[in-house]
């Protein structure tokens, strides 16, 4: 009977019949390591995933399945370390190019992951069960009341519980999150003296509105920070990565995969809206998070999904009625999928995550031949790390490109960097474009402090205003 539960889950998440016999014992073992029991798997299969994801679409099922394959692989990291493989971690936001380049150079010698965001995403988005990780961390020194980031708590508890091993190096990008470095110090000092960290930083000292990727001096500084960080990774792992592999990784992510994500979002601009933003969000994950299992599973699933969405557009089939208003979200609260469903139940689509979808600039070829300069330039185009004035330009461009009827900020009130940015931006965007802009308090990763009942009135009010404005 238990096997049937796990098999049905794999069937739901796009595993082919010939794959299930191979992955079934692996998924049972991985689930146990993650703290998921048979009831959790049944709940996800029969209730949670069908209620929040468009599983009628094969592309959506297969994208979820690609993430499950990566999750299974993550639970084998301890085994990989015993085999002598080097372990390299990172956090978001970071440049996935370097982690992919390392993997391309020595695929059998290294394991790469951003374990905290991956665990948080899988556990809450698909099973609604991140709380045990957070509560475990809170009992051991990362207190609840201080509103520490759920990702840092997840990383801490995953190590404390032995789900992930100590890395050869945890390459922390401190451009946005200033707490992650302290959490890694905490892990090192209190539970794992083998935990090594290298921090890459850059000062946020640009005048508001400066297009930072066009300032060569800043690109050079950023490139040097990346070079020093990746040099430390190569030294700790003993893997020398040639420049050609960095270029190859960048081309895979930004010249091959990112245009497909952009194509999907262009299709989602159709009226009626053919796909939920919750489903579209899954496609963006490999842009910013490295997959140790490679990108082929996600890319193949995305190809299938694009074809299915094209068919929906041709049939004029949508998830909402024709003419329904659409909002751009700063970051779709993917780990709490009921939030987007509540917007859709009230007749408003939220198809796009501004912080994850590529801009026009993101899709342009780099100005530089040097791979570090090219990577630095692409990083400085990224709105999440740009100064508020430049972020305003990028955000407004996306609003105008996709023709949305307003914007929703929020769900980052715990974040000292992004939370303050959003409160400024919500006013700036509204003043510049004269569109309705809203800010919702909340947490993008977890929902212990609020519930559908707590947010229902707020979302119903927003939806009512946007519908009246549209009409």
């Amino acid at each position: 009977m238990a096997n049937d539960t796990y098999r049905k889950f794999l069937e739901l998440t796009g595993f082919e019949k010939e794959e299930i016999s191979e992955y079934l014992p692996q998924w049972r073992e991985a689930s146990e390591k993650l703290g998921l029991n048979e009831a959790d798997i049944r709940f996800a299969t029969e209730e949670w995933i069908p209620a929040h994801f468009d599983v009628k679409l094969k592309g959506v099922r297969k994208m979820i399945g690609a993430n499950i394959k990566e999750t299974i692989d993550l639970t084998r990291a301890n085994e990989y370390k015993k085999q002598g493989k080097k372990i390299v971690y990172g956090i978001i936001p970071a440049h996935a190019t370097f982690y992919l380049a390392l993997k391309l150079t020595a695929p059998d010698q290294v394991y790469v992951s951003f374990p905290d965001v991956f665990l948080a995403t899988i556990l809450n988005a698909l099973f609604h069960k991140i709380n045990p990780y957070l509560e475990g961390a809170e009992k051991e020194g990362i207190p609840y009341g201080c509103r520490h980031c759920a990702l840092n708590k997840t990383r801490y508890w995953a190590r404390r519980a032995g789900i992930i091993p100590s890395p050869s190096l945890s390459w922390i990008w401190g451009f946005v999150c200033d707490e992650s470095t302290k959490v890694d110090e905490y892990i090192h000092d209190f539970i794992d003296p083998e935990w090594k960290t290298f921090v890459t930083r850059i000062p946020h000292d640009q005048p508001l509105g400066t297009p930072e990727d066009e300032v060569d001096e800043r690109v050079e500084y950023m490139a040097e920070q990346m070079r020093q960080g990746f040099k430390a990774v190569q030294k700790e792992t003993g893997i020398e990565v040639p420049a050609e592999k960095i270029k190859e990784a960048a081309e895979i992510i930004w010249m091959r995969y990112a245009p497909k994500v952009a194509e999907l979002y262009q299709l989602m601009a159709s009226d009626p809206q053919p796909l939920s933003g919750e489903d579209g969000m899954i496609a963006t994950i490999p842009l910013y998070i490295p997959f140790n299992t490679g990108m082929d599973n996600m890319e193949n699933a995305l190809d299938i999904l694009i074809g299915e969405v094209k068919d929906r557009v041709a049939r004029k089939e949508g998830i909402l009625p024709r003419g329904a208003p659409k909002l751009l979200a700063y970051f779709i609260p993917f780990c709490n999928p009921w939030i987007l469903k509540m917007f859709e139940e009230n007749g408003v689509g939220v198809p796009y995550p501004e912080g994850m979808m590529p801009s026009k600039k993101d899709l342009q070829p780099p100005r530089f031949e040097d791979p570090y300069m090219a990577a630095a330039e692409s990083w400085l185009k990224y709105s999440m790390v740009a100064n508020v004035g430049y972020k305003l330009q990028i955000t407004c461009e996306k609003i105008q490109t996709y023709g949305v009827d307003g914007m929703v900020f929020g769900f980052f009130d715990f974040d000292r960097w992004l939370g303050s940015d959003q409160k400024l931006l919500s006013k700036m965007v509204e003043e510049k474009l004269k569109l309705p802009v809203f800010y919702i308090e909340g947490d993008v990763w977890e929902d212990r402090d609020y519930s559908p009942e707590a947010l229902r009135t707020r979302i119903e009010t927003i939806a009512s205003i946007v519908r009246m404005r549209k009409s």
Side-chain angles (χ1 to χ4, degrees):
M1 288 294 292
N3 263 350
D4 287 344
T5 300
Y6 290 86
R7 181 180 289 106
K8 287 177 181 178
F9 178 88
L10 295 180
E11 290 171 352
L12 177 71
T13 55
F15 284 73
E16 301 293 341
K17 288 183 179 179
E18 58 272 17
E19 293 181 302
I20 291 179
S21 59
E22 174 190 353
Y23 279 100
L24 182 58
Q26 296 181 36
W27 175 230
R28 289 200 63 170
E29 183 179 353
S31 300
E32 183 177 353
K33 289 179 180 178
L34 295 174
L36 299 171
N37 57 36
E38 185 180 352
D40 297 323
I41 305 300
R42 185 181 300 110
F43 168 71
T45 306
E46 298 176 0
E47 299 181 46
W48 190 259
I49 294 177
H52 298 108
F53 297 91
D54 199 341
V55 291
K56 296 187 296 296
L57 298 175
K58 183 178 181 180
V60 170
R61 298 197 304 274
K62 282 194 161 293
M63 285 199 301
I64 296 174
N67 281 271
I68 293 299
K69 290 175 181 176
E70 183 70 13
T71 304
I72 292 171
D73 194 59
L74 185 150
T75 63
R76 299 181 64 191
N78 282 296
E79 177 185 336
Y80 292 147
K81 186 171 183 178
K82 290 177 182 177
Q83 293 170 358
K85 292 185 179 183
K86 303 300 182 180
I87 309 293
V88 178
Y89 297 147
I91 64 164
I92 61 167
H95 213 309
T97 297
F98 295 105
Y99 301 85
L100 178 57
L102 185 69
K103 187 68 180 178
L104 291 172
T105 302
D108 298 324
Q109 299 175 38
V110 67
Y111 172 84
V112 297
S113 181
F114 295 0
D116 51 6
V117 67
F118 213 87
L119 285 170
T121 296
I122 295 301
L123 289 168
N124 228 40
L126 301 183
F127 299 94
H128 201 218
K129 199 176 180 182
I130 193 178
N131 290 0
Y133 285 63
L134 308 182
E135 292 162 0
E138 288 159 1
K139 289 177 181 177
E140 297 206 6
I142 306 182
Y144 180 82
C146 293
R147 295 296 288 119
H148 296 288
C149 175
L151 297 189
N152 288 323
K153 292 179 184 179
T154 300
R155 184 167 75 260
Y156 171 81
W157 188 248
R159 181 65 197 97
R160 181 69 180 85
I163 297 167
I164 59 173
S166 56
S168 305
L169 194 68
S170 179
W171 184 13
I172 294 294
W173 295 52
F175 304 129
V176 174
C177 182
D178 60 358
E179 184 186 81
S180 55
T181 54
K182 292 299 179 183
V183 170
D184 271 23
E185 286 180 13
Y186 187 70
I187 293 173
H188 175 273
D189 291 345
F190 287 92
I191 65 170
D192 187 359
E194 294 183 13
W195 189 282
K196 296 180 181 178
T197 301
F198 188 92
V199 180
T200 297
R201 290 190 185 277
I202 191 170
H204 296 286
D205 57 0
Q206 296 297 291
L208 295 186
T210 302
E212 300 183 34
D213 55 293
E214 297 176 13
V215 181
D216 287 357
E217 182 181 18
R218 190 158 181 81
V219 176
E220 290 171 3
Y221 186 94
M222 181 77 258
E224 182 59 25
Q225 293 299 302
M226 291 179 169
R227 186 178 285 108
Q228 292 300 320
F230 202 38
K231 183 178 179 180
V233 170
Q234 293 175 77
K235 180 180 178 181
E236 289 294 334
T237 60
I239 300 169
E240 186 174 343
V241 180
E244 292 73 20
K245 287 298 181 183
I246 303 175
K247 291 181 179 179
E248 180 184 350
E251 288 173 359
I252 290 172
I253 295 173
W254 293 106
M255 295 295 105
R256 194 179 83 192
Y257 190 85
K260 293 182 180 182
V261 175
E263 182 180 4
L264 178 67
Y265 279 128
Q266 288 160 9
L267 289 167
M268 290 170 70
S270 303
D271 190 16
Q273 180 183 324
L275 187 71
S276 171
E278 190 72 19
D279 300 306
M281 181 76 172
I282 311 175
T284 68
I285 294 175
L287 295 176
Y288 305 101
I289 301 173
F291 275 51
N292 190 63
T293 53
M295 294 183 64
D296 287 349
N297 290 325
M298 279 295 293
E299 189 169 4
N300 292 337
L302 179 54
D303 288 338
I304 293 170
L305 181 61
I306 289 172
E308 291 175 314
V309 175
K310 283 181 177 178
D311 289 343
R312 280 190 173 180
V313 171
R315 297 194 303 267
K316 300 188 183 306
E317 178 183 338
I319 62 167
L320 292 168
R322 187 173 179 83
K326 298 176 183 177
L327 297 173
L328 176 69
Y330 178 80
F331 195 95
I332 286 174
F334 178 74
C335 291
N336 305 315
W338 55 266
I339 294 173
L340 243 63
K341 288 303 173 189
M342 192 170 289
F343 274 98
E344 292 167 1
E345 288 165 5
N346 283 277
V348 175
V350 188
Y352 313 116
E354 190 283 320
M356 298 292 281
M357 61 196 293
S359 67
K360 293 177 181 178
K361 259 191 171 182
D362 284 327
L363 301 174
Q364 294 175 358
R367 295 187 291 126
F368 304 96
E369 284 295 322
D370 177 79
Y372 291 97
M373 291 289 286
E377 180 198 17
S378 70
W379 180 257
L380 294 171
K381 295 175 184 177
Y382 183 25
S383 70
M384 191 174 287
V385 299
N387 65 80
V388 175
Y390 192 26
K391 191 176 295 188
L392 173 67
Q393 297 176 33
I394 297 170
T395 301
C396 289
E397 175 215 290
K398 292 177 181 178
I399 288 173
Q400 293 168 328
T401 297
Y402 292 95
V404 294
D405 303 292
M407 186 163 181
V408 176
F409 289 93
F411 302 104
F412 273 92
D413 59 278
F414 63 91
D415 195 297
R416 288 181 293 278
W417 171 261
L418 297 176
S420 59
D421 261 18
Q422 290 193 49
K423 290 181 179 178
L424 289 170
L425 278 166
S426 61
K427 296 179 180 179
M428 295 165 74
V429 171
E430 190 168 44
E431 290 172 359
K432 183 167 183 175
L433 297 183
K434 310 303 180 189
L435 288 173
V437 178
F438 308 93
Y439 184 90
I440 302 177
E441 298 285 342
D443 192 318
V444 70
W445 307 116
E446 50 131 331
D447 57 3
R448 290 180 298 172
D449 287 336
Y450 56 98
S451 63
E453 291 71 28
L455 277 188
R456 188 176 304 279
T457 301
R458 177 74 170 134
I459 291 175
E460 287 176 349
T461 302
I462 291 172
S464 179
I465 292 171
V466 175
R467 290 198 310 270
M468 286 191 293
R469 175 80 175 247
K470 175 88 172 181
S471 64

